[in-house]
Amino acid sequence: MATQLYPSKDILYSPQASWFGDEASPMLGWYHPAKLRDAGGSRQCGVVLCPPFGHEYMVSYLAYRHLANQLARAGFDVFFFDYSNTGDAADVDVLTDRIGLWQENIRQAAAQLRKMAGVQHIALFGLRLGGLLAASVAHEIDARAMLLMAPVISGRAYAREMLVLRNMSSISDMNGLQADVDLDQARDPAHTVTDDELTGYEFSAATRSSLGKLDLLKMPAPAMPVFIQARDDVSGQEAKLVNAWYHHDHALHVSDLPGYAAMMTEDAHDTVVPMAVWAAMQDWLSRYFPLASIDSRPYAVTRDVASIAFNSQVIEEELLEFEGMFGIVSHQAGADPKALPAVVLCNIGANHHVGNHRLYVTLARTLASYGFHVLRFDKSGIGYSKATPDDRENDVHAAAGVDDVSSAMYFMQGKYHSPSFVLAGLCSGAYLSYMAGLDDERVSGLVLMNQLTYRWQEGDTIDARRKNTIKSSHYYLQALAKADTWKRVCKGQVDFPQIAGNMLRRIGKRLRTQWQLLVTSLTHNNLLLGRVARNFRNMEARGTELLLIYDASDTAVDVMTEQLGRHASLLGHSERIRLEIFNGADHTFTPRWAQSALADLISKHLHKRFNAASANAAK
């Protein structure tokens, strides 16, 4: 029953995605309204969740969503958002640094939450860099409480730590784009990892300099209650912070509950939400903001469409939901949705729809600038979409994923009258695209990037696949020429039995594909091909454009070779099949040059192929 106190079920229970901030540079935020009926009232306190930076943002995304839900159930209004130039937000051309911009973003998010929820008080939560940024503006936004999880204490030390990690990375020495694997090709200076990037994200000298000026130990002790959650993987500097803030007149609570390390994993698939930590934070915060009845509350007005400047064009991005799944459609302002196939981007592993280092955001907006309508969405169990039918999250290869892709195509047909579809994805996203495109006549194109499997069976696990996975043969040939490899061999740090066993299996599979190629050429009979090669040939025969993209050192190259032959020779020669191999891009195309080159390659290829197809059809 809708009343003034409970205006609608949607406002009470469903997180609301909305664009906010400046019209010229919008950000995406998720408003989690206080669940007044569950909590028994409102706490008249809104909590702004300030995200961390880079990879830490990606792996903690699911945990942030759970924290927002936890606090909303307790009667808090919550706002989780993306800083400018991160996540789904628009890029702002800041010539100096990002730190001042992100501090202003937190101020904007607090103002937005006050406007949407009508709350009297604001509290701030921040993880890692988000904690440092939150503390730096807490006084300015009149925050009444602060929750910090493993906060960055010194911006200068954090910047140094990030640079050390970058220099230790396997992508710190990169080569350029090439059409084939060629170990003798000279380095292209334009295709190197610059000093102003960090694991695929911009991290300029100006930003590092500005960050170095922030230090929690040098800030005045906050005049508000503070909850500090310590790290449980290494000894952090939380003790120093407690000593610096201990003598102020407000409550300072330190928690050593475990949960940080299990959340901050190398892969989003492995992240474990620290529910015990979230419960402790909720209990602590609730003591300072008791429940109270309210006479009325504003109805949250959301902005579903944003206009974003990109490559000298205006890209419109629409927020949408279909069958319990969230997505964003990018298209050029005024573009005809029926002129070209719609492009659907399928999740990279358990990462939500922005993709690793925002790869899908860059790709979607680049494709949109070429006239395509592009949907990046979260399948069941990822991001803000519903759970899978068996109520699981982060289930990367769930069988329901193929149905989700099909549902996405039906939605785009209904809303935009899309004539056909190009399915694109990286890693598990490539697998879902491949599976969804096998028998669906609506699929006129596939873009498969570093696809690691062509068959996922019940009982398979990512952990088991990882254990039995080694680098590509190309990688090991390169490694033999490096002195560091032999040092590791002498120290017993190289698992020769596993590598040798896998290499022998690869040789056997390659001999089989060579035999298939020979027999098929002599008999002109595709039935002698393996199942995967036949699937690709059948899709090509029905007119499907196939673009296969790999990094030369990725094991996906060997997986492809085992199924399709060297250089995909089992697929024959067709203008509808294109194979491209990058050198030095890594599995997720982390270097910024690789991201740009990849988006440019895919957009130009699809634009050329489907504009040519449209022209031929018109004749």
Side-chain angles (χ1 to χ4, degrees), residues 295-328:
D295 296 328
S296 64
R297 59 191 285 125
Y299 185 83
V301 178
T302 60
R303 284 165 52 191
D304 295 333
V305 181
S307 296
I308 294 174
F310 184 81
N311 287 351
S312 302
Q313 298 185 31
V314 177
I315 304 299
E316 292 185 349
E317 296 205 326
E318 302 181 49
L319 309 180
L320 50 89
E321 184 180 353
F322 58 95
E323 297 189 20
M325 292 178 284
F326 175 76
I328 300 177

Side-chain angles (χ1 to χ4, degrees), residues 31 34 42-47 75-77 110-111 113-123 141-145 288-298:
Y31 170 44
S42 169
R43 297 189 184 275
Q44 276 298 293
C45 177
V47 184
F76 294 95
D77 291 275
L113 182 54
R114 282 189 167 106
K115 177 182 177 181
M116 297 180 80
V119 292
Q120 297 176 3
H121 310 296
I122 290 290
I141 65 174
D142 192 26
R144 298 304 177 89
Y288 295 95
F289 302 97
L291 288 168
S293 60
I294 58 174
D295 296 328
S296 64
R297 59 191 285 125

Side-chain angles (χ1 to χ4, degrees), residues 38-249:
D38 290 357
S42 169
R43 297 189 184 275
Q44 276 298 293
C45 177
V47 184
V48 177
L49 306 185
C50 306
F53 171 70
H55 176 73
E56 293 178 332
Y57 159 78
M58 294 301 297
V59 297
S60 64
Y61 191 85
L62 176 65
Y64 263 74
R65 196 200 82 194
H66 276 277
L67 175 59
N69 286 336
Q70 178 104 11
L71 293 174
R73 283 196 299 270
F76 294 95
D77 291 275
V78 187
F79 197 62
F80 175 31
F81 72 104
D82 293 331
Y83 305 119
S84 295
N85 299 73
T86 72
D88 288 302
D91 288 338
V92 179
D93 186 14
V94 179
L95 299 179
T96 53
D97 69 272
R98 300 279 183 258
I99 302 304
L101 176 63
W102 293 344
Q103 289 172 319
E104 176 59 22
N105 292 160
I106 296 175
R107 299 184 194 102
Q108 292 172 298
Q112 179 73 8
L113 182 54
R114 282 189 167 106
K115 177 182 177 181
M116 297 180 80
V119 292
Q120 297 176 3
H121 310 296
I122 290 290
L124 296 175
F125 167 83
L127 166 68
R128 296 289 288 141
L129 182 58
L132 177 60
L133 294 174
S136 71
V137 300
H139 175 71
E140 298 175 47
I141 65 174
D142 192 26
R144 298 304 177 89
M146 199 158 49
L147 304 100
L148 309 178
M149 185 172 191
V152 169
I153 306 296
S154 165
R156 185 183 302 277
Y158 173 79
R160 286 199 303 264
E161 176 189 343
M162 294 299 102
L163 291 180
V164 170
L165 291 176
R166 181 188 67 191
N167 294 335
M168 292 172 59
S169 170
S170 60
I171 65 166
S172 60
D173 185 21
M174 293 295 179
N175 292 333
L177 173 66
Q178 56 185 40
D180 196 356
V181 180
D182 182 1
L183 298 181
D184 297 323
Q185 180 166 327
R187 181 191 311 279
D188 184 344
H191 290 162
T192 57
V193 177
T194 70
D195 291 337
D196 286 341
E197 65 179 279
L198 176 68
T199 59
Y201 299 90
E202 183 177 342
F203 197 56
S204 67
T207 295
R208 299 194 299 271
S209 175
S210 182
L211 181 59
K213 299 174 184 177
L214 297 181
D215 193 322
L216 291 183
L217 299 178
K218 297 178 181 179
M219 294 180 188
M224 66 190 76
V226 178
F227 183 109
I228 298 176
Q229 173 62 48
R231 297 179 63 158
D232 61 346
D233 56 345
V234 296
S235 297
Q237 290 188 305
E238 292 87 359
K240 294 182 181 179
L241 185 59
V242 171
N243 291 332
W245 288 359
Y246 182 74
H247 297 293
H248 68 65
D249 297 330

Side-chain angles (χ1 to χ4, degrees), residues 235-282:
S235 297
Q237 290 188 305
E238 292 87 359
K240 294 182 181 179
L241 185 59
V242 171
N243 291 332
W245 288 359
Y246 182 74
H247 297 293
H248 68 65
D249 297 330
H250 296 274
L252 178 61
H253 178 80
V254 182
S255 168
D256 60 358
L257 287 171
Y260 172 84
M263 175 178 63
M264 305 299 283
T265 55
E266 184 177 349
D267 194 310
H269 169 264
D270 299 319
T271 190
V272 177
V273 178
M275 296 304 297
V277 175
W278 291 171
M281 288 186 172
Q282 174 213 305

